[in-house]
Amino acid sequence: MLGNTFLHLSGIGPKRERQLWEKNILNWDTLEYALKTGEIKHSSILEKELSLSRRNLEEKNAAFFSERLPADAPWRLLNDFRHLAVYLDIETTGLGKDDHITTISIYDGKELKYYVWGDNLQNFLEDINKYKLIITYNGKCFDIPFLENHFQTRFKHAHLDLRYVLKKLGYTGGLKSCEKQMGIQRKDLDGVNGYTAVLLWQEYIKNKSTRALETLLSYNMEDTINLEKLAHLCYNRLIMQTPFKNQILPVPEEPSLPFKPDLQLLQKILLKRN
């Protein structure tokens, strides 16, 4: 889909892009040809940007496109960069200035990794830098700023925030609500939310409860692996609105989690929450 995309080019918005597609100008090659033949007005700026686009795609520089696309358009990166993408979700002690990260989970479609405050959190930076594209839900406002503040760095990755993509499709609300609207059902962890995660962390710290930590990690990981399915569902619904329906992606199967939630403890926590 990225090779059929013109939204990152100067002076081309959604309406103009669709007009080009309707003229059978469907990719970078046909756009360049139309510029050279005069089918559309010649632009040395567009020619230069097309050359840069080819080079950055060849070099797998996802950030080049992410920085130039509208907030609801980086879904177009998924097909070309899905093997260099990582799904990310964090949990914290709260939202105040003195709050900190408790757990992080990442999933690249094959390997699921987790990081815990006071244990292996410092390994996160080395691992995240293996990828070109980070995919989150509401990560622009929450996960990424929190991580950048904690690690005192700035991530140079391309970023696909599914919150904006889902809004483009007409879905609003938190991650769990959007999952249900898109047909993704949770099982044992249905009803668990960010505040529950805070209580699970408190239980872990106060009582050294490995059951609480593993339940928290299973929740954090489920958030992360559901992002992959959500991203593919969004991509497929949006690709069906274009002339490129043949580029639909298979919806991935969920991996098995290394931890199982302690349902008895979770019930106790949920009662405390209510």
Side-chain angles (χ1 to χ4, degrees), residues 118-268:
D119 183 9
N120 66 337
L121 209 61
Q122 69 279 0
N123 297 338
F124 169 77
L125 275 186
E126 180 180 354
D127 290 341
I128 199 67
N129 285 327
K130 297 173 184 176
Y131 303 99
K132 299 289 187 179
L133 173 64
I134 295 174
I135 302 175
T136 68
Y137 181 88
N138 199 35
K140 282 191 174 183
C141 296
F142 179 61
D143 303 73
I144 299 302
F146 222 109
L147 287 164
E148 289 182 335
N149 182 65
H150 173 83
F151 289 105
Q152 290 297 290
T153 190
R154 288 291 176 266
F155 294 120
K156 297 179 181 179
H157 306 69
H159 184 197
L160 167 53
D161 189 333
L162 293 178
R163 175 186 171 188
Y164 298 93
V165 182
L166 285 157
K167 186 176 181 181
K168 181 181 180 73
L169 286 166
Y171 300 106
T172 57
L175 174 61
K176 316 303 181 298
S177 172
C178 288
E179 286 175 359
K180 288 182 178 180
Q181 293 174 71
M182 293 287 281
I184 299 174
Q185 300 298 323
R186 298 206 176 204
K187 298 176 183 177
D188 292 339
L189 292 168
D190 188 32
V192 178
N193 59 24
Y195 181 54
T196 316
V198 172
L199 296 177
L200 285 166
W201 179 259
Q202 290 173 355
E203 177 71 16
Y204 165 64
I205 293 298
K206 181 179 178 181
N207 297 316
K208 306 298 181 186
S209 171
T210 56
R211 295 185 305 151
L213 179 60
E214 290 181 1
T215 302
L216 171 59
L217 285 169
S218 65
Y219 167 72
N220 189 193
M221 290 177 174
E222 187 167 65
D223 276 2
T224 306
I225 63 174
N226 280 356
L227 289 175
E228 183 190 34
K229 183 178 287 188
L230 203 56
H232 282 69
L233 289 171
C234 288
Y235 178 92
N236 288 343
R237 292 196 186 190
L238 288 166
I239 206 79
M240 292 301 291
Q241 299 175 14
T242 75
F244 314 107
K245 298 176 179 62
N246 62 319
Q247 296 184 29
I248 197 166
L249 292 173
V251 178
E253 294 184 4
E254 294 181 15
S256 57
L257 295 177
F259 304 113
K260 290 187 179 295
D262 186 312
L263 300 183
Q264 187 175 358
L265 174 62
L266 194 54
Q267 186 177 25
K268 175 184 172 183

Side-chain angles (χ1 to χ4, degrees), residues 62-123:
F64 171 85
F65 302 98
S66 179
E67 290 165 0
R68 289 163 175 79
L69 288 168
D72 63 358
W75 64 271
R76 299 182 183 202
L77 295 170
L78 186 61
N79 195 358
D80 293 275
F81 287 95
R82 68 185 186 277
H83 300 304
L84 294 169
V86 66
Y87 300 88
L88 178 149
D89 185 73
I90 72 171
E91 302 301 333
T92 71
T93 56
L95 301 175
K97 64 177 183 178
D98 295 323
D99 285 298
H100 64 79
I101 296 166
T102 57
T103 64
I104 307 170
S105 71
I106 62 173
Y107 178 57
D108 62 8
K110 294 180 179 179
E111 189 175 9
L112 187 61
K113 291 186 176 182
Y114 64 92
Y115 311 86
V116 180
W117 175 274
D119 183 9
N120 66 337
L121 209 61
Q122 69 279 0
N123 297 338

